[in-house]
Amino acid sequence: MAQTTLSSGDGRSPRTAFVLAGGGSLGAVEVGMLQALLDWGETPTFVVGASAGAINAAYFATEPTRTCTEKLERLWCMLKRRDVLPFNILGVLRRRGHLVDSYALRRLLERHLPYQKLEHAALPVHIVASDMLTGHEVLLSSGPVIDAVLASTAIPGVFPPVQIGSQWLVDGGVANNTPISTAMNLGATRIVVLPTGFACALNRPPPGAVARAMHALSLLVSRQLAHDAERFTGARIQLRIVPSLCPLNISAYDYSAAASLITQARASTHQWLAAGGLDRDWVPDQLHDHHHG
């Protein structure tokens, strides 16, 4: 398959950023999207990730190849909820300020990320977190990669905040879960957004406090992305948004469906690419408010 080449407008090749959004367990769909984009010949100049997208971005930056995404696919497929969210009722009873410790996720990242600092990645990678006190976006482009990813995924009240320097940081979704503006500020002239989508076909709220919090966050992410897409489409950048899966009845708290999500996302992204998705400004219908009867 041939890569679609778009000019930056000044005769130079575009600086392409892949922007990976958050969405809990639905982050698995980004793996299928990455595989299809690589199959098509698309490679980014740099990647930006927030929340669950920070995990994928950091891993992809290890080696931005199809082989790397196949390893990432195997990692997602072996994940269990307890590998990310080991709920501890004693911690709740002690009123420690969060529901879940981050030690399990830290161990997982330590086992699978082969580099220690963001600036050592093979592909430039930028992680978005949020200042817990002000809510302002904090961009992490250097320093310990695991601390950066843990900060970006620290859903307030669910995971503990992460201290980096003098700041206490939480989930990047608080400030900018799909950081299009961040990629622009970093010099991207062409942005490909990989959204996780949301469970638009659930027939009842997911059970449990954490599951409902993550579902609500995924709804917020999609609404923010729809707003940003309308804002930036036709601006000084070329903005392309890969359509998310729809209808979708998998909760952002359900880690058992990764294999199916990746397969579906890879196939649907191939279809979008073959239909010229990279050639036109278009905001996918899946981003707008909708439901399935």
Side-chain angles (χ1 to χ4, degrees), residues 27-37 261-263 265-267 269-270:
V29 305
E30 294 175 339
V31 181
M33 293 173 177
L34 285 169
Q35 291 174 343
L37 287 165
L261 291 173
I262 292 169
T263 299
R266 183 170 57 242
T269 304
H270 272 302

Side-chain angles (χ1 to χ4, degrees), residues 80-92:
K80 302 291 187 287
R81 184 184 299 163
R82 64 177 178 271
D83 296 325
V84 181
L85 295 155
F87 189 76
N88 184 348
I89 189 63
L90 292 177
V92 177

Side-chain angles (χ1 to χ4, degrees), residues 145-195:
V145 59
I146 292 176
D147 286 349
V149 172
L150 289 176
S152 187
T153 57
I155 302 170
V158 177
F159 286 109
V162 176
Q163 185 175 13
I164 296 181
S166 62
Q167 294 176 297
W168 287 96
L169 304 181
V170 293
D171 197 299
V174 173
N176 198 355
N177 199 86
T178 310
I180 297 171
S181 58
T182 305
M184 291 176 61
N185 292 336
L186 289 167
T189 57
R190 181 171 177 264
I191 296 173
V192 180
V193 178
L194 285 65

Side-chain angles (χ1 to χ4, degrees), residues 1-257:
M1 298 180 182
Q3 178 179 349
T4 302
T5 302
L6 298 173
S7 169
S8 63
D10 58 6
R12 297 178 298 174
S13 298
R15 283 177 52 82
T16 297
F18 284 2
V19 172
L20 286 76
S25 63
L26 300 182
V29 305
E30 294 175 339
V31 181
M33 293 173 177
L34 285 169
Q35 291 174 343
L37 287 165
L38 290 174
D39 290 345
W40 198 258
E42 283 290 325
T43 54
T45 308
F46 62 90
V47 289
V48 183
S51 199
I55 298 175
N56 288 332
Y59 194 94
F60 181 66
T62 300
E63 179 193 354
T65 64
R66 191 63 158 81
T67 299
C68 178
T69 62
E70 289 168 359
K71 293 178 182 177
L72 184 57
E73 177 179 5
R74 289 193 291 272
L75 174 58
W76 270 99
C77 290
M78 74 175 214
L79 271 184
K80 302 291 187 287
R81 184 184 299 163
R82 64 177 178 271
D83 296 325
V84 181
L85 295 155
F87 189 76
N88 184 348
I89 189 63
L90 292 177
V92 177
L93 295 175
R94 291 169 183 159
R95 298 182 181 178
R96 61 186 175 179
H98 57 274
L99 296 176
V100 179
D101 279 320
S102 57
Y103 65 84
L105 182 55
R106 177 178 288 276
R107 287 204 308 265
L108 181 74
L109 295 171
E110 287 173 346
R111 286 199 306 269
H112 294 283
L113 282 178
Y115 61 100
Q116 294 186 342
K117 293 190 174 183
L118 289 164
E119 60 267 34
H120 296 163
L123 179 73
V125 56
H126 307 274
I127 302 299
V128 173
S130 306
D131 187 300
M132 186 176 70
L133 297 180
T134 66
H136 293 162
E137 177 181 332
V138 176
L139 182 63
L140 302 168
S141 303
S142 61
V145 59
I146 292 176
D147 286 349
V149 172
L150 289 176
S152 187
T153 57
I155 302 170
V158 177
F159 286 109
V162 176
Q163 185 175 13
I164 296 181
S166 62
Q167 294 176 297
W168 287 96
L169 304 181
V170 293
D171 197 299
V174 173
N176 198 355
N177 199 86
T178 310
I180 297 171
S181 58
T182 305
M184 291 176 61
N185 292 336
L186 289 167
T189 57
R190 181 171 177 264
I191 296 173
V192 180
V193 178
L194 285 65
T196 60
F198 63 96
C200 55
L202 289 178
N203 54 21
R204 62 177 61 87
V210 176
R212 292 179 181 181
M214 294 182 72
H215 178 65
L217 185 61
S218 68
L219 292 172
L220 177 64
V221 169
S222 292
R223 282 163 173 73
Q224 180 183 344
L225 175 54
H227 177 270
D228 287 350
E230 299 289 352
R231 175 184 172 194
F232 292 116
T233 296
R236 58 184 176 86
I237 58 161
Q238 298 164 356
L239 180 62
R240 305 292 183 259
I241 302 174
V242 181
S244 53
L245 297 179
C246 180
L248 184 62
N249 62 0
I250 304 296
S251 163
Y253 190 53
D254 182 356
Y255 284 82
S256 68

